[in-house]
Amino acid sequence: MSTFKVGLIGLGQRGMVHLADILCEREDVAVTYLCDEYEDRIAAGVKKVEEKKGNTPLTSKDYRELIESPEVEVVVIASAWENHIPAAIYAMKCGKQVCTEVGGAYSLEDCWDLVRTYEETGIHCMMLENCCYDRNELMVMRMVREGLFGKVVHCAGGYQHDLRDEIARGEEIRHYRLRNYKNRCAENYPTHELGPIAKILDINRGNRMVSLVSMASGAWGLNTYAEETEGIDPALRTYRFAQGDIVKTLIKCAGGETIELTLDTTLPRSYSRNFTIRGTKGYFSEDANGVYLRGMGEFGHGWYDNLEEYREKWESEIWYKFMNDGVRGGHGGMDWLVFDAYFEALRNNDVPPIDTYDSAAWMAVTPLSEMSIAKGSAPVDFPDFTRGQWLTRIDKNKGYYCLDR
């Protein structure tokens, strides 16, 4: 395909950003079909395509009609979490290429269904985990590959983002997070930073996640916010939310490494993904904006806010070129890069850099954490979606945007 005929499912906040800043800006994309359950969102999407692309896309409220259309070759899913896997599976079974926005799964069986569908159709579902292409993550990945941190022992990260207003106004702004926070208690948004960490630890390609344990605090943040904030539904002041304010998840890997994930979205805080790498020779900390390497001096002195000192030598090739060419797209440019990576794989008939086994494993953290929390923070086994092939897999992306060794 020289030009990809793209259909976009979901025109909420994330979908409209993708439409305006990515899909309508790319010369290799024709936006041919839009889908959302709300008429006003469809109208806004059509207007954006007409302004930027000059054509009027087809529209529907039913994602299956979009997928079935001969005017669609590639399906981009940016709808509510619960629709990601069903829409992806339907697209794959209809012979359409598909990528999906991030979010956790609702059951392990859904993840297995996604994997089985890939194995039946040969069509991968790539997760658009943009943090894999953030500037810091790619630089640290290069440093890990070059051995600067020695043997990586422990990694940490999370989604630490004050979303109280978005969640509490869920009915008003038609956002799916509210219904999830009312009814589920889980690590519901695991793939920031699990995606980059999984690639650093060679998950599904020489290593795998073998067990998980999660613990959740009580839920008070949204109640307090509703009490103190004008315009919030007063019923939320006393509503007994299922979702704990803080969820901590620990994952053990086959290679002996550990991963710590934190979900922290309903208490006051600044934004952080807390990306952390601990190795036998060094330490990277996003929150410290710094690197400590063995031999650089007394630990704790002179390593905070020193990250820029490493840019010249250890900047990833992808970001070096991106900075020279001109950074584009949302989230500091990583939105653009993850789509670049996806379309490059399609153009070259290549395995995507985040393949279906990655997508399934990363999304599985949500139902597994839900099980662990429900069992009093008991350990649960992590499925091997590759059925043993993680030990010897050689089918990896060969492109410029490859994330594997």
Side-chain angles (χ1 to χ4, degrees), residues 4-262:
F4 302 99
K5 295 161 67 174
V6 173
L8 173 61
I9 301 172
L11 295 166
Q13 184 182 42
R14 193 77 179 115
M16 283 299 292
V17 168
H18 281 334
L19 182 64
D21 295 346
I22 308 292
L23 300 176
C24 282
E25 293 293 327
R26 297 187 64 97
E27 295 180 0
D28 57 355
V29 166
V31 181
T32 58
Y33 215 126
L34 299 176
C35 175
D36 197 277
E37 61 181 318
Y38 299 109
E39 290 282 2
D40 59 316
R41 289 179 175 175
I42 290 175
V46 169
K47 182 179 179 182
K48 186 64 65 177
V49 176
E50 289 176 340
E51 288 174 354
K52 291 199 167 191
K53 286 289 194 181
N55 68 289
T56 300
L58 298 169
T59 63
S60 176
K61 291 184 177 181
D62 187 341
Y63 72 86
R64 288 161 294 199
E65 291 181 359
L66 179 150
I67 291 168
E68 293 167 3
S69 171
E71 292 302 313
V72 173
E73 298 166 327
V74 180
V75 178
V76 177
I77 302 169
S79 48
W81 294 335
E82 58 263 35
N83 183 240
H84 289 183
I85 291 179
I89 288 174
Y90 195 74
M92 295 155 80
K93 288 184 175 180
C94 288
K96 304 299 175 73
Q97 301 296 331
V98 63
C99 59
T100 181
E101 256 301 336
V102 300
Y106 283 77
S107 72
L108 290 181
E109 188 59 27
D110 283 348
C111 298
W112 277 113
D113 283 345
L114 189 69
V115 169
R116 284 191 286 263
T117 304
Y118 156 65
E119 291 172 345
E120 292 166 3
T121 65
I123 297 174
H124 272 293
C125 173
M126 175 166 157
M127 177 178 286
L128 296 170
E129 180 40 79
N130 55 0
C131 294
C132 289
Y133 290 97
D134 190 47
R135 190 179 180 191
N136 283 351
E137 279 79 346
L138 283 177
M139 186 177 84
V140 171
M141 188 179 297
R142 180 183 175 190
M143 295 172 76
V144 168
R145 302 283 198 251
E146 296 287 339
L148 268 71
F149 297 103
K151 164 62 183 173
V152 175
V153 176
H154 177 77
C155 301
Y159 191 57
Q160 301 177 165
H161 189 183
D162 186 348
L163 295 175
R164 290 173 298 165
D165 196 66
E166 177 182 284
I167 298 166
R169 297 185 191 275
E171 296 291 346
E172 173 189 342
I173 65 173
R174 301 173 297 193
H175 202 290
Y176 49 84
R177 268 197 172 93
L178 178 58
R179 61 178 175 262
N180 280 274
Y181 279 63
K182 281 183 171 181
N183 297 299
R184 305 182 73 197
C185 187
E187 167 45 272
N188 61 43
Y189 209 64
T191 67
H192 305 338
E193 279 292 297
L194 180 59
I197 288 170
K199 290 300 182 179
I200 283 171
L201 294 179
D202 302 318
I203 299 301
N204 290 333
R205 297 186 183 280
N207 198 0
R208 79 175 189 93
M209 297 178 282
V210 296
S211 64
L212 173 153
V213 60
S214 291
M215 180 178 290
S217 74
W220 297 284
L222 290 171
N223 298 138
T224 301
Y225 188 75
E227 288 172 8
E228 298 177 349
T229 306
E230 186 177 347
I232 300 299
D233 182 356
L236 299 184
R237 297 171 186 170
T238 56
Y239 191 90
R240 297 190 66 180
F241 285 92
Q243 181 65 51
D245 289 323
I246 305 287
V247 176
K248 289 282 188 178
T249 299
L250 292 174
I251 300 170
K252 185 67 176 289
C253 299
E257 307 89 348
T258 52
I259 302 170
E260 177 186 356
L261 301 178
T262 302

Side-chain angles (χ1 to χ4, degrees), residues 305-322:
D305 294 317
N306 69 352
L307 198 57
E308 294 306 312
E309 298 173 17
Y310 291 85
R311 294 276 186 214
E312 183 175 352
K313 186 172 183 181
W314 299 107
E315 187 82 86
S316 72
E317 179 185 345
I318 289 171
W319 265 92
Y320 181 79
K321 183 178 185 300
F322 198 30

Side-chain angles (χ1 to χ4, degrees), residues 323-339:
M323 296 283 285
N324 285 333
D325 292 347
V327 174
R328 307 176 67 182
H331 289 100
M334 58 186 181
D335 287 353
W336 188 271
L337 291 177
V338 76
F339 273 101

